[in-house]
């Protein structure tokens, strides 16, 4: 069942919020209406039932969520290792409580839904002929950090330097005093020279080359539990030095 969002000026329909925003800017020279929530409807005019942004209700739930989040941060950080070339990365979380995803939306301050599709799911953890796929897109690194830095067990890394396979300190990320101390220590004990740099690119991109972080939520994979599948999709660039 196709879903679409409509221009409030001319009534033209679009499959994604990003294409609607470009339409507002290029055709109507107006982007303030995009600040409101995107309302997706099906071919019969029925609105898509999307999850509501809701903070976790008690401290016990929050602590369990933060443990889960720290594992997710570790998986994201490990995408920077130079063992494979730069590419679009996908991280799948198979059995995510619905309340966790609602909390993520709360941390993102109720982001706009970018697209809705009913498609087949032909891979693990479950095979379904039709399942709903909701997409949310993030174009700013600080917004993405707002989710990940709620936990303090691990530091989220959007970029890193490596000497062959080993990570080395990046002086460009240090405060002035810390950088000075590092330079003094390096003078006494040489540090291996960096051979590569890995960085997560989060922006609107240029032209057709998009560089967003996409949160893909599958709310209807499991029919008898309040779990869903969450996929994070992002681009990691890797360059030799």
């Amino acid at each position: 069942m196709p879903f679409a969002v409509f221009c409030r000026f001319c009534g033209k329909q679009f499959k994604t919020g990003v294409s609607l925003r470009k339409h507002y800017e290029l055709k109507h020279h107006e982007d303030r209406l995009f600040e409101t929530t995107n309302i997706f409807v099906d071919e019969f005019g029925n609105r898509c039932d999307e999850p509501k942004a809701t903070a976790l209700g008690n401290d016990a739930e929050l602590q369990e969520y933060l443990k889960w989040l720290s594992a997710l941060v570790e998986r994201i950080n490990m995408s920077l290792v130079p063992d494979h070339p730069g590419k679009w990365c996908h991280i799948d979380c198979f059995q995510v409580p619905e309340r966790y995803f609602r909390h993520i939306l709360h941390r993102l301050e109720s982001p706009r839904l970018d697209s809705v599709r009913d498609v087949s799911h032909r891979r693990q953890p479950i095979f379904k002929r039709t399942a709903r796929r909701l997409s949310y897109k993030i174009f700013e690194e600080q917004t993405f950090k707002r989710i990940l830095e709620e936990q303090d067990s691990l530091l989220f890394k959007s970029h890193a330097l490596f000497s062959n396979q080993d990570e080395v300190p990046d002086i460009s990320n240090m405060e002035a005093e810390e950088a000075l101390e590092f330079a003094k220590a390096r003078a006494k004990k040489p540090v291996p020279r960096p051979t590569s740099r890995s960085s997560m690119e989060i922006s609107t991109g240029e032209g057709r080359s998009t560089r967003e972080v996409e949160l893909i939520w599958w709310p209807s994979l499991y029919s008898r539990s309040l779990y869903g599948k969450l996929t994070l999709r992002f681009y990691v660039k890797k360059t030799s030095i």
Side-chain angles (χ1 to χ4, degrees), residues 16-19 21-22 34 38 88 108 111-114 135-145 200-207 209-215 233:
T16 70
V18 170
S19 57
R21 181 173 189 170
K22 291 181 179 179
F34 190 73
N38 290 336
W88 283 99
L108 290 174
R112 288 179 291 271
L113 183 61
D114 184 70
S135 170
Y136 300 80
K137 292 186 176 180
I138 300 171
F139 297 96
E140 296 179 358
E141 183 176 324
Q142 290 301 320
T143 303
F144 190 44
K145 283 184 175 181
M200 184 184 300
E201 295 191 344
I202 307 175
S203 69
T204 54
E206 296 182 4
S209 298
T210 60
R211 289 294 183 264
E212 72 277 0
V213 173
E214 184 177 17
L215 304 182
R233 173 180 167 273

Side-chain angles (χ1 to χ4, degrees), residues 168-223:
V168 295
D170 187 351
I171 195 170
S172 64
N173 293 332
M174 299 179 184
E175 298 292 338
E177 293 184 2
E178 184 182 4
L180 181 59
E181 291 299 322
F182 175 74
K184 291 179 180 178
R186 185 169 58 181
K188 297 178 181 178
K189 183 179 180 181
V191 176
R193 292 179 59 85
T195 57
S196 65
R197 176 187 295 274
S198 299
S199 56
M200 184 184 300
E201 295 191 344
I202 307 175
S203 69
T204 54
E206 296 182 4
R208 299 177 66 88
S209 298
T210 60
R211 289 294 183 264
E212 72 277 0
V213 173
E214 184 177 17
L215 304 182
I216 303 169
W217 177 243
W218 301 79
S220 59
L221 281 185
Y222 307 100
S223 58

Side-chain angles (χ1 to χ4, degrees), residues 82-234:
D83 298 65
H84 50 77
K87 61 178 182 178
W88 283 99
C89 299
H90 295 74
I91 293 179
D92 292 321
C93 304
F94 292 130
Q95 291 174 277
V96 180
E98 182 183 340
R99 62 184 183 276
Y100 284 11
F101 186 68
R102 291 178 182 270
H103 184 78
I104 289 174
L105 296 181
H106 171 73
R107 292 287 296 178
L108 290 174
E109 299 178 353
S110 301
R112 288 179 291 271
L113 183 61
D114 184 70
S115 67
V116 182
R117 290 191 291 160
D118 287 337
V119 296
S120 61
H121 191 276
R122 300 181 180 275
R123 62 177 65 183
Q124 293 293 352
I126 194 169
F127 296 86
K128 297 201 75 169
R129 291 180 178 175
T130 304
R132 184 147 298 175
R133 179 188 187 277
L134 307 180
S135 170
Y136 300 80
K137 292 186 176 180
I138 300 171
F139 297 96
E140 296 179 358
E141 183 176 324
Q142 290 301 320
T143 303
F144 190 44
K145 283 184 175 181
R146 195 183 305 154
I147 306 172
L148 305 180
E149 293 185 348
E150 186 176 8
Q151 59 80 41
D152 56 9
S153 299
L154 287 173
L155 177 66
F156 162 63
K157 299 178 182 178
S158 60
H159 52 274
L161 288 177
F162 293 88
S163 176
N164 297 320
Q165 304 301 316
D166 299 320
E167 186 175 355
V168 295
D170 187 351
I171 195 170
S172 64
N173 293 332
M174 299 179 184
E175 298 292 338
E177 293 184 2
E178 184 182 4
L180 181 59
E181 291 299 322
F182 175 74
K184 291 179 180 178
R186 185 169 58 181
K188 297 178 181 178
K189 183 179 180 181
V191 176
R193 292 179 59 85
T195 57
S196 65
R197 176 187 295 274
S198 299
S199 56
M200 184 184 300
E201 295 191 344
I202 307 175
S203 69
T204 54
E206 296 182 4
R208 299 177 66 88
S209 298
T210 60
R211 289 294 183 264
E212 72 277 0
V213 173
E214 184 177 17
L215 304 182
I216 303 169
W217 177 243
W218 301 79
S220 59
L221 281 185
Y222 307 100
S223 58
R224 298 183 181 276
S225 65
L226 295 178
Y227 287 85
K229 174 186 171 184
L230 175 63
T231 298
L232 270 68
R233 173 180 167 273
F234 52 89

Side-chain angles (χ1 to χ4, degrees), residues 60-89:
E61 283 187 339
L62 181 60
Q63 293 307 313
E64 289 301 314
Y65 166 78
L66 294 180
K67 292 177 184 177
W68 172 84
L69 184 62
S70 64
L72 178 60
V73 171
E74 184 173 8
R75 295 178 67 186
I76 294 172
N77 287 347
M78 290 304 294
S79 67
L80 299 177
V81 298
D83 298 65
H84 50 77
K87 61 178 182 178
W88 283 99
C89 299

